[in-house]
Structure formats: C-alpha cells, structure tokens
Amino acid sequence: MGKATGFMETARLENPYRPEEVRLGDYGELHIAQPAEARRAQASRCMNCGVPFCQSDFGCPLHNLIPEWNDLLYRGREREALERLMMTAPFPEFTGRVCPALCEKACNLESDALTNRDNELYLIETGFANGWVRPRIPRTRTGRRVAVVGSGPAGLAAADLLNRLGHSVTVVERADRPGGLLMYGIPNMKLPKDVVERRVRLMEIEGVRFVLNTEAGPALLDDFDAVVLCGGAKKPRALKVETAPEARVTFAVDYLTAATRAVLSGEAPSVTARDRAVVVVGGGDTGNDCVGTALRQGCRSVVQLEMMPAPSAERAAGNPWPEWPRTLRTDYGQLEAIYRQGADPRVYRTTVNKIMDGAVQTVQLQGFDPVPGTEQTLPCDLLLIAAGFVGCEDATASAFGIALGPRGTMMPSDGTHRLHGRLFSAGDMRTGQSLVVRALADGRAAALEVHQFLSAGM
Ligand SMILES: Cc1cc2nc3c(=O)[nH]c(=O)nc-3n(C[C@H](O)[C@H](O)[C@H](O)COP(=O)(O)OP(=O)(O)OC[C@H]3O[C@@H](n4cnc5c(N)ncnc54)[C@H](O)[C@@H]3O)c2cc1C
Ligand code: SF4
C-alpha cells in the first residue's frame, strides 16, 4: 500500500514544465522527467484506499490497477509495476503524456492527489529504456480477419487487443502516417511523434498490418470477417458570421496538422502564424494547443476568445469530489502567452461576429446573445476556429450506409459497439469527440465484442 505515512511526509510533485524561454524555442517535450527516487517517493504517497476512486468509474476509464502499481513502484519493483500497468493500459506512453488524469481528480487525496500520470510515464519509459517492452506475438492464430478503419487511439487499441486474441488485423488509414489525432492534432510538444511511431513499429512486429493513404469503403466487408469503424469525430463547428472573401480562416485541426507536418519534414508549414496577429475562437484545450503553436511559429500576437464566463478557481457547489472539477486551469500555451505578452490571452464571454480582411469584430455575450454596443475591432490576419466538433465526417457514414445519430455519431441504439451484421464502431466516431483514454477504453471494449462475435462462429 505504498508507505503508510507517505502522503503525510512527501508533498505532491508533478513533472515540471521546461521554462517558457527555453521551450518556446522548440517543439520538444514540455515536461522534464524526474529521477527514479522522486517517482518512488511519489508512489509511496498512495494509501491503497478501501474505495480507490482513482480506478472507479469516476476515475480511470481503463480501470488501471493504480494502488497496486504504485505500491510496486514505491518498492522499486518497476518491472512488475509496469506489467501490472500494462494489464489494463495498452499505451501508457500516450496517456502518460496527454491524459488529463481523471484518476487524479478522483483521488481521495483530492487537490493533493497522487501523480499517477507522471508515475505511469516513468514506468513505461523505464520499460522501453531497459528493453522490458517486448513484442507480444500471439502463439496461435484464429484464422479470422478483422479490418480496423482509422489508426487513432481507438483503432490502435482495438487492433492491439484483437491481435493479441489471435485474429489477423489490418488497420486502414486515410492519412499518410498512423496515429489519428495522436499524430495530426495533438502537438509534438505534448506528444512527440517518434513516440507514436515507436508503438506502431512494435505493433507491426506483433503482426498488425497498417495500410496508409487509403480511404476505407464497404468493400472491406467482402474481404474481412468483421470491420471496426474508428474514424474519429473531427467535423468542426463552423462560425456562421459575415466573412470577407480575403480573410484567412483556418480550422484548428487543419492548422495543427500543418504545423506537425512542418515539424516532421523540416519544411515551412502550409499555413503559419509567423508575424501574424492571431485570434483563436475557443477557450478549450484545442484552442490552447493553437496558442502554444502560434507562439512557437513566431506570431505577432495571440488572443483566445471564449464564449463562456471564466470558471472559478475553486470547485463550484454542485460539482463535488470525485467528479471532474470545473475550475479555472491555465495550460501550457496560456502560460507561454502570459510569459511572452504579459497577460492571459483569454477573453471570456466574447465571440467573433464579423470577419474582415486583417481584422475581426468581436462582441460580448450575455448567455448566447450578443450585447449591443460591446463590439470591438481586433487586428487579425489569421483566425483559428477551435469551437468544438459536431460529429464524424459524413463520407465514412454514407460509404457504409450508416445513418448518424443526433450527436452526429455512430452510436448503436442498444449502446453496444455493433452497428449491424459484421460492422462495429468505437472511439470518438461512436461517442463524439472525447479523450484519448476514453477512446482507448472504447476501442478495447469494441475488440472484446468483436472477439465474442467471431468466437461464436468458430
Ligand atoms: C487538437 C486536439 C488536441 C487534443 N488533445 C488531447 C489531449 O491532450 N488529451 C486527450 O486525452 N485528448 C485530446 N484530444 C482528444 C483526442 O485526441 C481524441 O478524443 C482521440 O484522438 C479520439 O480517438 P479516435 O481513435 O476515436 O479518433 P481519431 O484520433 O480522430 O482518429 C481517427 C482516424 O481515422 C481516420 N479515418 C477517418 N475516416 C477514415 C476512412 N474512411 N478511411 C480511413 N481512415 C479514416 C482519420 O484519418 C484518423 O486518423 C485532442 C483533440 C484535438 C482535436
Ligand atoms: S484514490 Fe489516490 S490514494 Fe487512494 S488508492 Fe487511488 S491513487 Fe492511491
């Protein structure tokens, strides 16, 4: 159970960010990893609670065995801790970097919670460094063939588990590189792309086949025993306002994709914030990634507009522990903007109501209604729209003859993963835009349903 008095003796210590003046000069990892002693001391704080909310439905969607691997880590038994972690977590190197750590928000130590995410990252990177993460090739094959459409976290998790269960898995991906939003979406500083490529290489050795640059269609049903659609939910919410034809307006994921392509190729990005006054519409995580990327590209200024009022720094009544706290968070991009510009880039209760050439007109909001007389003009020669997503793209749905549900997703009416016949769905495509850890859990749940379905016919 860790150390009985650990949580009283040792304070919570997260992996710190690299200083702004250093990290703004590159696209390298944001955090500095801490040495083994620091991680073991952090793991010693775990109380092995009678009711470990960290691994409950309020906490980790993968139901990671958090107290068990924290105890092994505290005792310096990293290899066993990693084995215990990998029983439920398919790719700790992704979640250890990008997960908002629902488990920490649900931890009984509340604001002083365990640093589960950093501990997880330490375990998996120690495993890779020591050669403990070996290909796990199934001893026998079932002879069943499964196609997984999309190579984001849901597709990778489904492919990984189906392959381990002995099925022959082919992942079909439209993009030129695998990873979905792990590759083209989440910026390199949050998740370096060689980390994604390392996992894909391992999966290939384990027997998963990746077919890139390929649009999946219903012909897959002729060649495979089952098809799992994991195409994501990236249809962006557009701004329906008067827009000058010359205005430069780009959706956030397109902008972030271009930025990552440029980082990987060393060439100039097809759309850049360099020397531009940037306005980001959307105060969420995607907007924050745009702020951090624009600053690295050398923007002249960046402003982030948010429709909702600023949340309080404290938990609101009616949002009790262990639920996810809706509090004011200042993320890496916003911290970098404060460092560079001297003020938080976020402007609350405000949106854009007119897009001109070189400027936008903003207006304050009361609820969702514009307040007359509050219009202002902001310089803007790159407008980035990070206003959320309205479901999955129509192309895959119409190709497979699926009628999308009210949220624009492929959620089967009975709540399972089976759409009909041999066709399944998982991840954001099934649930709507969510989190990497939820997509992983959903991909694994779909894989188990497919396995059950295929086993019944064997
Ligand atoms: C900018 C951004 C930053 C984010 N940051 C975080 C974060 O820090 N932490 C976090 O937990 N979550 C984050 N998220 C959310 C998270 O990335 C998603 O919830 C997750 O990636 C969903 O996984 P998925 O596998 O369902 O879909 P995706 O990752 O969207 O992958 C879907 C894949 O399917 C492919 N595809 C679609 N249709 C077809 C077709 N017909 N044929 C072939 N291929 C097809 C697409 O090309 C894509 O590669 C972020 C999201 C965005 C947009
Ligand atoms: S809730 Fe926190 S202290 Fe309790 S077992 Fe989970 S991680 Fe450890």
Side-chain angles (χ1 to χ4, degrees):
M1 67 152 290
K3 190 177 180 190
T5 51
F7 73 99
M8 294 189 285
E9 292 166 18
T10 306
R12 173 182 162 93
L13 177 70
E14 287 180 88
N15 284 345
Y17 283 131
R18 288 191 291 139
E20 280 89 345
E21 71 266 29
V22 179
R23 67 178 199 259
L24 274 170
D26 60 44
Y27 292 85
E29 285 224 41
L30 293 169
H31 291 100
I32 307 171
Q34 297 300 292
E37 304 72 55
R39 289 273 65 91
R40 290 178 192 155
Q42 288 301 305
S44 80
R45 302 180 64 247
C46 183
M47 303 186 292
N48 190 16
C49 302
V51 182
F53 279 103
C54 55
Q55 65 183 60
S56 74
D57 282 344
F58 287 108
C60 180
L62 289 165
H63 303 296
N64 284 344
L65 305 168
I66 293 166
E68 297 183 27
W69 51 255
N70 268 329
D71 179 59
L72 290 162
L73 170 56
Y74 156 59
R75 291 170 203 286
R77 291 159 60 180
E78 272 89 347
R79 190 168 187 166
E80 290 162 83
L82 178 60
E83 278 166 16
R84 194 60 58 102
L85 169 62
M86 292 198 323
M87 285 172 71
T88 53
F91 313 124
E93 69 275 29
F94 304 155
T95 36
R97 287 179 167 89
V98 305
C99 193
L102 312 178
C103 59
E104 294 183 18
K105 301 300 182 294
C107 174
N108 282 306
L109 286 169
E110 219 190 335
S111 60
D112 202 26
L114 261 281
T115 54
N116 293 327
R117 187 181 69 167
D118 293 347
N119 292 2
E120 172 177 1
L121 182 58
Y122 164 74
L123 286 176
I124 187 70
E125 288 306 332
T126 304
F128 273 112
N130 287 290
W132 302 336
V133 186
R134 315 272 320 150
R136 292 187 280 184
I137 300 168
R139 290 219 184 95
T140 55
R141 290 282 175 189
T142 61
R144 298 297 180 142
R145 305 179 70 222
V146 184
V148 173
V149 175
S151 62
L156 291 180
D160 175 64
L161 187 51
L162 285 163
N163 183 58
R164 270 182 221 298
L165 292 166
H167 307 297
S168 298
V169 182
T170 299
V171 178
V172 182
E173 170 57 58
R174 175 194 289 152
D176 58 344
R177 289 187 171 91
L181 287 167
L182 300 172
M183 175 61 67
Y184 292 134
I186 300 177
N188 198 71
M189 48 273 189
K190 260 163 84 178
L191 180 58
K193 303 312 160 199
D194 54 355
V195 170
V196 182
E197 286 163 355
R198 177 178 66 184
R199 176 57 67 172
V200 169
R201 275 198 305 278
L202 192 62
M203 289 178 68
E204 282 176 328
I205 296 168
E206 290 170 333
V208 178
R209 191 167 155 251
F210 286 85
V211 179
L212 304 177
N213 297 305
T214 303
E215 181 74 30
L220 287 174
L221 286 162
D222 300 335
D223 298 335
F224 291 88
D225 298 301
V227 175
V228 193
L229 300 178
C230 303
K234 282 193 307 190
K235 194 201 273 183
R237 179 174 286 116
L239 280 192
K240 294 188 183 114
V241 297
E242 186 187 329
T243 303
E246 313 78 30
R248 216 176 263 117
V249 185
T250 305
F251 286 116
V253 173
D254 296 338
Y255 169 69
L256 295 169
T257 299
T260 295
R261 283 188 191 287
V263 170
L264 293 174
S265 68
E267 290 166 12
S270 56
V271 46
T272 180
R274 170 166 289 280
D275 297 329
R276 296 205 164 121
V278 177
V279 175
V280 180
V281 177
D285 296 344
T286 302
N288 172 69
D289 288 335
C290 291
V291 170
T293 303
L295 288 166
R296 279 167 181 71
Q297 290 181 340
C299 64
R300 205 163 68 243
S301 61
V302 60
V303 176
Q304 191 180 7
L305 306 179
E306 167 57 49
M307 291 178 80
M308 306 303 287
S312 132
E314 304 296 325
R315 258 181 201 275
N319 173 218
W321 172 87
E323 285 173 19
W324 175 261
R326 291 186 293 276
T327 56
L328 181 69
R329 282 187 291 274
T330 304
D331 210 337
Y332 74 97
Q334 287 130 11
L335 290 170
E336 291 161 0
I338 293 169
Y339 169 79
R340 195 46 75 70
Q341 304 182 157
D344 196 311
R346 288 171 289 188
V347 181
Y348 292 94
R349 284 188 167 160
T350 302
T351 191
V352 164
N353 70 346
K354 192 170 169 191
I355 305 170
M356 298 162 280
D357 182 16
V360 288
Q361 187 183 72
T362 65
V363 67
Q364 288 176 20
L365 297 169
Q366 183 72 47
F368 292 106
D369 299 325
V371 181
T374 61
E375 293 82 1
Q376 279 193 349
T377 301
L378 278 185
C380 173
D381 28 38
L382 178 61
L383 182 65
L384 299 175
I385 311 294
F389 300 88
V390 292
C392 40
E393 294 146 304
D394 301 319
T396 314
S398 57
F400 283 88
I402 306 292
L404 296 177
R407 293 190 62 209
T409 60
M410 295 188 191
M411 172 68 82
S413 53
D414 60 1
T416 66
H417 294 77
R418 190 168 170 195
L419 291 162
H420 60 70
R422 292 176 288 123
L423 194 60
F424 296 75
S425 67
D428 283 4
M429 190 162 238
R430 174 175 172 274
T431 62
Q433 188 73 221
S434 184
L435 293 173
V436 168
V437 68
R438 291 212 174 98
L440 295 175
D442 208 50
R444 282 167 70 84
L448 289 177
E449 276 184 36
V450 172
H451 177 62
Q452 219 169 19
F453 167 75
L454 293 176
S455 304
M458 284 200 293

